[in-house]
Amino acid sequence: METLKALPVEREDPFQPPALLKELPGSLHPMTYADGRLGWLVTGYAEARAVLDDPRFSNTQQGAAPPIKELAPPEGLTDLVIPPGFFIAMDDPEHSRYRKLLTGHFSMRKMRKLEPRIQEVIDGQLDEMARGGAPADLVKTFALPIPSLVICELLGVPYDERSRFQDTTARAVNLDNTVEQRGAAAGELMGYLSELVGRKRAEPGQDLLSELATGGELDHEELTGVATLLLTAGHETTANMLGLGTFLLLCHPEQADLVRTDPGVAESAVEELMRYLSVTHIGPIRVARADVPLAGQTIKAGQTVTICLPVVNRDPSRFPAPDHFDVTRQATQQLGFSHGIHQCLGQQLARLEMRLAYPALLRRFPTLRLAVPAEEVPLRPRAAIYGVAALPVTW
Ligand code: HEM
């Protein structure tokens, strides 16, 4: 079997996985990682679930090889330090201690309670977009601010501090900024979250941070780490789904019409957009702790395994006619939120945001369309989360 040379991430078409990956036969492929080490790439649906379900694969990222050079750790850094509370990079039982404390706060029931506030956030952004007039960059006016403001609601960021919070978050994730600028903004944000945790402990309100701060289970540093994880895990992912998802819908007006006019379609549309776009296009990444046989081969202890979600979510044995985009498809088994113990904690929140945001946008601006030819929309193929850098629209 031919060995892949690092993970190809440039998509010939923004909505399709790289052609080289789609053409690979089988479900598990040897791959030379960006640092020269040999590891694996999983492209089969059943194999992806098997890896994500298997405790012999670690998620601490210790010793993980980078699938692309941009993900290599800074030179000289060999051992990663996982900040307290950053449980996405912990294995069980450490991981489950945090997860148990948080799961109840992200249930469907809890999220439904947030629904009116999320709708207000969305309507507020649409009002602002209308006030600013056409053309507009949908990323700046819609895709980025909505998840940021929703996280403010969840964490209990006071109203008069939201613009500062949003501005710092935007600086931390904006790829036009240098690594130093982004690092400085991320540091500012963590400082702010630490201070906010302190305030919530002293004067609790009706929000997640206050509940956790007064619950007595997490110390100050742990809670700051949890807040930072919630922000980083929930912001760019949702923003890229809103940006790239709107781009896809604008390129398929008949599908956009269904989302606009049929309230029953929003739910399946979200799953299909998640399946079709797979914005988490590099990973999940795991490191084998033991030799593990898979798909007729052996993954050796210490080797890195990358799950290729864009191809896994197009596995024809799970999704018939996988390249057909159909907002009425029941794609609930899609793996865009991962699977197993690390499957996305915020998935019900993300689903709710998207279920409300796409139809609201399309209804508010029924003539919404791209303001530039589709080929000119700038993409972010080498970022950890795939998406559009800007989405010029008019109406
Ligand atoms: C469309 C938006 C989103 C996408 C595509 C997404 C995707 C993912 C994926 C793929 C993972 C698993 C990584 C792995 O298996 O290693 C994950 C984990 C996680 N996500 Fe999301 N996510 C989204 C939104 C959110 C939101 C809104 C929040 C919270 C506010 C959130 C919080 C988390 C957390 C805390 C984890 C770690 C869970 C754990 O390790 O137990 N995510 N997400």
Side-chain angles (χ1 to χ4, degrees):
M1 191 184 293
E2 212 177 312
T3 303
L4 270 170
K5 306 271 176 294
L7 181 68
V9 286
E10 313 278 344
R11 299 183 182 184
E12 293 78 3
D13 173 322
F15 310 126
Q16 307 302 332
L20 185 65
L21 290 178
K22 281 194 74 187
E23 284 152 16
L24 289 173
S27 52
L28 177 67
H29 314 274
M31 181 167 90
T32 308
Y33 279 67
D35 61 2
R37 281 187 283 163
L38 199 64
W40 299 92
L41 185 72
V42 177
T43 55
Y45 183 87
E47 291 75 10
R49 279 176 73 111
V51 169
L52 294 168
D53 258 337
D54 190 332
R56 288 174 294 178
F57 291 101
S58 166
N59 203 21
T60 65
Q61 305 300 314
Q62 295 295 341
I68 62 171
K69 64 178 185 323
E70 286 81 352
L71 292 186
E75 211 149 318
L77 190 76
T78 45
D79 285 332
L80 295 174
V81 181
I82 299 166
F86 218 78
F87 60 93
I88 192 169
M90 294 176 191
D91 294 330
D92 276 352
E94 225 186 341
H95 162 266
S96 73
R97 178 183 156 237
Y98 291 96
R99 186 83 194 205
K100 275 190 199 133
L101 283 175
L102 285 156
T103 302
H105 294 280
F106 285 88
S107 65
M108 196 86 103
R109 198 171 54 85
K110 283 264 170 149
M111 293 305 118
R112 274 209 204 99
K113 277 196 177 159
L114 265 185
E115 184 165 336
R117 288 298 302 122
I118 297 177
Q119 190 66 59
E120 271 177 49
V121 162
I122 293 169
D123 292 343
Q125 284 313 123
L126 293 174
D127 288 345
E128 214 171 296
M129 205 169 131
R131 269 197 302 275
D137 173 8
L138 195 97
V139 171
K140 280 211 182 83
T141 55
F142 183 79
L144 272 177
I146 289 173
S148 167
L149 288 169
V150 168
I151 290 170
C152 285
E153 281 294 328
L154 189 80
L155 297 180
V157 174
Y159 281 94
D160 54 353
E161 291 166 23
R162 290 190 181 186
S163 56
R164 182 183 139 209
F165 178 87
Q166 252 190 295
D167 169 65
T168 321
T169 312
R171 276 191 288 125
V173 300
N174 185 349
L175 290 179
D176 292 339
N177 293 336
T178 63
V179 179
E180 289 76 20
Q181 286 168 327
R182 277 184 280 145
E188 250 179 74
L189 212 49
M190 236 177 130
Y192 172 75
L193 289 172
S194 166
E195 183 210 316
L196 188 63
V197 166
R199 278 194 270 153
K200 296 288 175 187
R201 227 182 265 284
E203 267 181 69
Q206 302 277 316
D207 52 70
L208 174 63
L209 272 195
S210 297
E211 282 181 43
L212 293 172
T214 50
E217 310 264 6
L218 299 174
D219 68 23
H220 185 91
E221 281 197 326
E222 287 176 321
L223 192 44
T224 305
V226 167
T228 309
L229 172 60
L230 293 178
L231 173 72
T232 46
H235 190 265
E236 266 205 277
T237 42
T238 314
N240 280 298
M241 272 306 296
L242 290 176
L244 193 64
T246 303
F247 184 19
L248 177 61
L249 287 167
L250 294 182
C251 292
H252 289 264
E254 74 300 343
Q255 301 285 317
D257 271 346
L258 280 173
V259 175
R260 180 186 299 111
T261 54
D262 184 347
V265 159
E267 214 161 296
S268 59
V270 166
E271 298 308 310
E272 177 68 344
L273 284 159
M274 284 289 297
R275 180 190 77 84
Y276 205 76
L277 297 172
S278 298
V279 294
T280 308
H281 67 141
I282 309 170
I285 298 171
R286 301 286 189 266
V287 177
R289 286 199 274 220
D291 288 2
V292 182
L294 187 71
Q297 315 201 57
T298 300
I299 297 171
K300 297 238 172 67
Q303 285 189 318
T304 302
V305 182
T306 299
I307 313 284
C308 186
L309 286 185
V311 181
V312 165
N313 274 332
R314 302 282 182 105
D315 185 332
S317 69
R318 188 65 199 77
F319 304 103
D323 297 332
H324 180 57
F325 172 56
D326 173 5
V327 292
T328 65
R329 184 197 289 264
Q330 299 302 315
T332 47
Q333 296 291 310
Q334 57 83 19
L335 292 183
F337 289 118
S338 193
H339 173 73
I341 64 163
H342 289 285
Q343 72 169 278
C344 183
L345 174 72
Q347 58 187 284
Q348 302 307 353
L349 177 59
R351 285 190 168 107
L352 182 57
E353 287 182 60
M354 291 188 277
R355 182 163 66 67
L356 298 175
Y358 295 122
L361 171 71
L362 295 170
R363 279 190 211 126
R364 182 70 173 266
F365 301 103
T367 58
L368 191 76
R369 58 197 182 278
L370 293 178
V372 298
E375 310 74 63
E376 286 173 24
V377 171
L379 301 163
R380 318 178 342 143
R382 305 201 71 81
I385 309 294
Y386 193 87
V388 291
L391 190 65
V393 291
T394 188
W395 56 88

